Amino acid sequence: MSLAYRLLYRVGFTPWEQLEALPTLTATVSALLAREEEGHGPPYGPALDLGCGSGIWAVRLAERGWQVTGVDFVPKALRRARERARRAGVDLRLVEGDVTKLRATAVGSGFPFLLDFGVFHDELTDGQRAAMGREVSAVAASGATLLMVAWARRRRGPLPRGASLGDIAAAYPDWTVIDEQPFDISGAPFFRHIKNADLRFYRLRRE
Ligand SMILES: C[S@@+](CC[C@H](N)C(=O)[O-])C[C@H]1O[C@@H](n2cnc3c(N)ncnc32)[C@H](O)[C@@H]1O
């Protein structure tokens, strides 16, 4: 997996980054983050961006007033995230590490808010998904919220493996899905022609 992503970043084939150019998607993300921030003023506290990639959403979180740690296992992605943060004039703490082994990295713990924008639903095996759930639970605060962006389970074509509610529940037994919102992805050039693209935002609360 790491090799595949290293290659994708090396050749510059990162279609998920096109999502940032979709105004409806950024508006949806903004609204979802505003919901987490409701009733508080910045700084909102620590946030962990799991598989932060080139830092698109980590930077947005930091711009809103979160103290963001981003973790990813591809050094080039982290270099790009560092450069993106520099251009935006925000601080990001960036850690090279594997989301299935978070406790072995220097990410820290006690995060009240965590973001998974496109990692869990990808090609992790069931065992790796369970490990991710276990590790995320270990570094999350009690009562934490996890915002997960995932495709529904793949039926065919080049989409990631996808995740069902059952898959999420199996990997996150101590968490409850408290909200699920479908999102129409057809406006993004790369995804326009993909049939059955079914992107969803899940909000999970740790018990
Ligand atoms: C689809 S990309 C999304 C990147 C970023 N969240 C975004 O939306 O722009 C998935 C990211 O997760 C990272 N990733 C996948 N599996 C990982 C793992 N086991 N540990 C750490 N990072 C991982 C990849 O390197 C990649 O940057």
Side-chain angles (χ1 to χ4, degrees):
M1 265 291 276
S2 164
L3 271 180
Y5 271 111
R6 275 172 193 254
L7 186 65
L8 291 173
Y9 280 106
R10 184 173 309 156
V11 300
F13 183 68
T14 53
W16 55 87
E17 294 180 1
Q18 292 179 7
L19 297 179
E20 186 194 17
L22 263 188
T24 47
L25 185 112
T26 51
T28 299
V29 173
S30 273
L32 292 172
L33 295 179
R35 182 172 60 177
E36 306 306 332
E37 296 156 359
E38 213 173 298
H40 304 276
Y44 297 111
L48 180 61
D49 186 357
L50 301 150
C52 63
S54 66
I56 290 171
W57 307 109
V59 164
R60 285 181 185 246
L61 273 168
E63 286 174 334
R64 297 178 73 96
W66 292 85
Q67 296 151 297
V68 186
T69 299
V71 59
D72 203 287
F73 61 11
V74 178
K76 178 162 186 189
L78 293 172
R79 284 199 295 279
R80 288 188 54 210
R82 204 162 284 119
E83 175 57 20
R84 190 187 297 277
R86 192 194 60 74
R87 283 200 310 269
V90 295
D91 282 330
L92 286 187
R93 195 167 153 260
L94 293 164
V95 178
E96 185 179 333
D98 191 320
V99 297
T100 66
K101 299 174 187 149
L102 285 173
R103 280 173 290 185
T105 72
V107 291
S109 59
F111 291 96
F113 181 65
L114 303 95
L115 177 68
D116 170 355
F117 208 114
V119 184
F120 181 84
H121 78 157
D122 212 339
E123 302 304 328
L124 301 181
T125 64
D126 288 344
Q128 288 168 326
R129 286 180 170 186
M132 182 176 185
R134 205 167 46 240
E135 294 295 306
V136 167
S137 300
V139 302
S142 67
T145 302
L146 168 62
L147 182 63
M148 182 190 292
V149 182
W151 300 102
R153 256 191 186 280
R154 174 174 60 199
R155 274 164 278 183
R156 60 176 176 270
L159 292 173
R161 181 182 170 200
S164 65
L165 268 176
D167 297 331
I168 296 171
Y172 285 97
D174 302 336
W175 299 65
T176 308
V177 176
I178 54 174
D179 188 30
E180 177 183 352
Q181 280 187 33
F183 183 82
D184 176 10
I185 203 75
S186 55
F190 180 78
F191 301 103
R192 188 173 302 143
H193 305 294
I194 298 179
K195 298 261 182 298
N196 300 322
D198 183 2
L199 188 71
R200 279 160 195 268
F201 289 91
Y202 296 99
R203 187 187 198 203
L204 284 77
R205 174 68 41 76
R206 188 185 186 176
E207 286 153 19

